[in-house]
Amino acid sequence: MYNTRMKKKVATLLAIAIWLIPTGCKAQAEVSETLESVVETSVETQPSASIVATESIVPGDDYSSYPLNTTDDCWAVLNAYAADHGIDALSYPTTLINVLFSNHDTLDFVLHYPELVGTQDDPSYPGSIDVSSEYSPLRVPYYYQFDSRWGYKTYAGSEMGFTGGGPTCLAMVATFLTGNTDFNPAWMAAYSENNGFAMDGGTSWNLMATGAGGLGIDVVAITADQDRVDRNLAVGNVIVCLMGPGDFTSGSAQFIIICNKTENGYEIRDPGSITRTNQEWQFETLASQMDGCWVMRIL
């Protein structure tokens, strides 16, 4: 066991050494076509030559227990997983270090990237996804764009894990309002692309403004009026919001859903973050970052 671990450490350090060789809300008429993305930081991704995080990592299956406090930590975890599974560590694009560092929820998506990227692009692939167990008429489902069931599907010039916030958001809304579990995120991504709503690097806001109507959903653009939001939530409608830079993205935009009001704040669904989804938010915080709002309902 000791020799095996030492060999893996040596292999990891060698891979690193090789790698280091140069290598609130606006009126609808004012909302411009905006892209969204899960990539949320511009921190330096190149590990330092003095990386030591691998010394505290014991190869195993529970990679969620590894530290992710620095970009060096993130690189060390990828190297450990690669060594454990016979993967060339250099097959991880360096941008994945940024993704993992800025959003620890993407760990599973990032670890399996070399194995699964490009495997979900068959036109029939969405038909193999069963989300029926996740449907309830009482709550909006929890879908995330980096879910391994669809996160590696090519969408808007990249993989859904990076660019699929729009279709994942609308998939949650459509599943909840219509009860149709065929509206999974992979299906919705294909719908978006086939109808011209996908753009290079993300999704046009028109997927919400007009695309939802093609699924039998009534859509009304509103401003960030708290009373109006509350009244819609009270009757079972949901609010889709296009969020600008701030708590939800440091990029151009991210789509989220406001789905419930509680005594402590507002419950949301953020397709780019489990952590943010599990928080309750104050309306002032949400409203200050909104670039577009749509009430979605079934008449």
Side-chain angles (χ1 to χ4, degrees):
M1 176 64 72
Y2 177 80
N3 289 336
T4 299
R5 288 181 59 190
M6 285 301 297
K7 288 178 180 178
K8 288 183 176 180
K9 289 180 180 178
V10 171
T12 298
L13 292 173
L14 179 59
I16 295 170
I18 293 172
W19 188 89
L20 287 169
I21 295 172
T23 55
C25 180
K26 300 174 184 177
Q28 181 63 33
E30 297 177 354
V31 180
S32 61
E33 289 200 351
T34 312
L35 306 181
E36 47 72 33
S37 174
V38 73
V39 181
E40 298 178 348
T41 183
S42 60
V43 299
E44 179 61 43
T45 62
Q46 184 166 328
S48 71
S50 60
I51 183 169
V52 295
T54 49
E55 292 301 320
S56 61
I57 294 176
V58 177
D61 295 328
D62 187 15
Y63 297 91
S64 63
S65 65
Y66 297 165
L68 299 173
N69 300 320
T70 67
T71 53
D72 283 352
D73 285 345
C74 296
W75 182 246
V77 172
L78 298 189
N79 272 278
Y81 181 88
D84 287 350
H85 294 82
I87 299 171
D88 180 358
L90 299 181
S91 62
Y92 287 102
T94 56
T95 54
L96 289 178
I97 304 293
N98 265 1
V99 173
L100 182 56
F101 178 73
S102 64
N103 187 349
H104 298 173
D105 297 333
T106 64
L107 176 62
D108 188 66
F109 169 78
V110 170
L111 288 178
H112 293 92
Y113 186 89
E115 302 162 293
L116 295 178
V117 66
T119 64
Q120 299 176 347
D121 289 339
D122 187 286
S124 65
Y125 180 77
S128 66
I129 300 174
D130 182 4
V131 296
S132 57
S133 64
E134 297 164 65
Y135 168 71
S136 168
L138 303 178
R139 60 165 175 77
V140 176
Y142 297 84
Y143 297 157
Y144 299 99
Q145 61 200 72
F146 46 81
D147 189 299
S148 62
R149 291 173 292 180
W150 48 71
Y152 307 97
K153 176 179 172 62
T154 301
Y155 172 76
S158 188
E159 287 74 47
M160 282 191 65
F162 305 112
T163 57
T168 304
C169 190
L170 185 56
M172 287 188 272
V173 171
T175 300
F176 172 66
L177 292 179
T178 71
N180 186 345
T181 56
D182 288 338
F183 292 151
N184 63 69
W187 186 96
M188 199 64 69
Y191 173 80
S192 178
E193 290 198 315
N194 292 338
N195 288 277
F197 301 119
M199 304 174 68
D200 186 24
T203 304
S204 167
W205 58 266
N206 280 310
L207 175 64
M208 309 302 170
T210 60
L215 305 174
I217 299 171
D218 182 69
V219 182
V220 178
I222 65 171
T223 58
D225 182 305
Q226 186 172 8
D227 179 65
R228 191 170 183 182
V229 168
D230 290 352
R231 286 188 282 112
N232 274 282
L233 294 176
V235 296
N237 301 333
V238 296
I239 315 297
V240 172
C241 303
L242 181 64
M243 310 301 286
D247 291 302
F248 299 91
T249 180
S250 62
S252 54
Q254 173 75 338
F255 291 102
I256 68 166
I257 305 163
I258 303 176
C259 53
N260 189 34
K261 184 180 182 180
T262 73
E263 61 182 16
N264 297 317
Y266 290 83
E267 181 183 347
I268 71 163
R269 299 288 186 270
D270 181 346
S273 174
I274 298 170
T275 301
R276 291 191 295 267
T277 292
N278 289 337
Q279 295 177 237
E280 292 184 333
W281 295 81
Q282 297 305 303
F283 189 81
E284 294 77 11
T285 301
L286 297 172
S288 67
Q289 300 173 57
M290 292 179 191
D291 285 334
C293 301
W294 299 269
V295 172
M296 297 205 177
R297 60 188 178 176
I298 298 294
L299 295 179

